[in-house]
Amino acid sequence: MSFAIFDIETRIDKALIRAVLYPHQDLTDEQAYQRFRAQVLEEREGRSDFLPIPFHVPVSIVVGNVNGSRMLTAVEVLCAQRYSEEEIVCEFWRRVEAFPGTLVSFNGRAFDLPVLELQALRYGCQAPRYFNEKHGHRYRYSEERHYDLFDFLSNMGASRIRGGFNLLARLIGLPGKTSVDGSMIQGLWDAGQLATIHAYCRQDVIQTYGLFVRLELMRGRLTPEEYRAAWEASAPFREELSEGADGPSVEGHPLEPMDTGDTEGGGGRKPKS
């Protein structure tokens, strides 16, 4: 069994906000975005300006490959050398369709995958196995295709984890959120700081791996010795967590495609609940 830990970062589709919410008003995309954001913030009494999922567009997708021994073998920014918003989404779905293992996420069932599904609709990506398999990736009560760590830890939403990913990362000795967090992604995108967004997304995947492997130990699916071996093997990746807000370049470690099981290999702001 192999695993693919994934995470996305998103920008807001300001043009879509204007087209859908203010079609007959003389507003720029930016004005429409700021008006809607202010409206959402007011409705939530200043607690959150998180906008509805259909307005989110992935600008970074990172995948961490984990082998059957739960060792992290690669962390890859998708399409780093042939980047476009459409290409990263299509590449993700191509890999998911070919990948025989388990996807791993933190709150991916509530955010990452719904965003990516809508973008598959936008770009016409085909993923028949994903969308049609009866007890596949979209079936909430099975970990075989998709293991959402937040779902597991919250007992499928029966309990709340105030502090979310940041709290859980710090609970097990990881740095959690540091000088960059999800609330800054839109501003970084507007400032042209895509490399910083990629580095932040990589760091999220590496920390999600840390949480994943600790849960495997807790659940008895790794012995203490196997856990220590996996944790020690991840040291080169964990070095990225202390390299500052900008992190390393996306070439910081050798990148490998998501393992599809064949010999040639496989093809805004995020709520962390």
Side-chain angles (χ1 to χ4, degrees):
M1 172 64 72
S2 56
F3 303 86
I5 299 173
F6 73 99
D7 187 52
I8 71 173
E9 303 304 331
T10 64
R11 70 170 177 87
I12 296 301
D13 190 337
K14 299 176 183 180
L16 186 62
I17 290 175
R18 181 178 61 82
V20 172
L21 301 180
Y22 310 107
H24 306 300
Q25 299 187 36
D26 187 18
L27 297 174
T28 65
D29 293 348
E30 182 64 26
Q31 288 169 335
Y33 163 67
Q34 293 296 345
R35 178 179 293 188
F36 184 46
R37 179 174 172 271
Q39 176 187 327
V40 168
L41 200 58
E42 181 179 1
E43 289 172 351
R44 296 173 183 164
E45 299 179 338
R47 293 187 300 271
S48 170
D49 63 353
F50 179 74
L51 300 188
I53 280 175
F55 296 114
H56 286 256
V57 177
V59 296
S60 183
I61 304 176
V62 173
V63 175
N65 295 332
V66 179
N67 65 22
S69 299
R70 280 38 170 199
M71 291 187 178
L72 183 63
T73 60
V75 178
E76 178 180 6
V77 177
L78 293 193
C79 303
Q81 304 305 319
R82 59 182 196 283
Y83 179 84
S84 75
E85 291 176 357
E86 179 176 356
E87 184 59 28
I88 64 173
V89 169
C90 293
E91 179 66 11
F92 176 83
W93 287 114
R94 283 192 290 266
R95 295 187 183 202
V96 167
E97 280 296 288
F99 182 54
T102 300
L103 299 181
V104 178
S105 71
F106 187 90
N107 203 35
R109 196 177 303 281
F111 181 75
D112 304 66
L113 287 174
V115 169
L116 289 161
E117 289 174 8
L118 288 177
Q119 296 306 304
L121 181 66
R122 168 179 279 189
Y123 296 124
C125 306
Q126 289 191 310
R129 185 182 66 139
Y130 174 92
F131 286 109
N132 298 326
E133 196 170 43
K134 185 175 182 180
H135 293 132
H137 299 86
R138 302 179 98 211
Y139 182 62
R140 186 170 192 176
Y141 301 105
S142 172
E143 300 170 6
E144 183 177 352
R145 292 293 191 190
H146 177 208
Y147 180 18
D148 186 325
L149 306 184
F150 178 73
D151 259 2
F152 177 79
L153 285 164
S154 67
N155 198 9
M156 302 299 177
S159 63
R160 296 191 65 184
I161 303 174
R162 293 186 181 275
F165 184 75
N166 184 49
L167 179 149
L168 293 167
R170 289 177 179 270
L171 185 67
I172 63 171
L174 291 168
K177 303 301 180 181
T178 53
S179 57
V180 177
D181 63 48
S183 67
M184 301 167 65
I185 298 301
Q186 184 65 47
L188 290 169
W189 173 261
D190 290 340
Q193 298 296 310
L194 181 59
T196 301
I197 296 172
H198 285 330
Y200 169 73
C201 196
R202 281 181 64 95
Q203 291 170 353
D204 264 6
V205 165
I206 293 164
Q207 296 199 76
T208 301
Y209 168 75
L211 183 60
F212 163 73
V213 76
R214 185 67 66 92
L215 280 172
E216 292 295 276
L217 172 67
M218 185 182 82
R219 300 181 70 179
R221 303 202 287 204
L222 286 178
T223 66
E225 293 74 23
E226 291 169 334
Y227 169 77
R228 282 193 292 271
W231 185 249
E232 289 169 5
S234 71
F237 298 102
R238 286 186 282 113
E239 288 176 5
E240 297 186 27
L241 303 180
S242 60
E243 292 182 2
D246 292 335
S249 74
V250 296
E251 303 298 334
H253 290 286
L255 305 181
E256 300 173 8
M258 186 187 299
D259 183 4
T260 60
D262 57 39
T263 56
E264 295 179 359
R269 178 175 183 175
K270 177 179 178 179
K272 285 293 186 180
S273 293

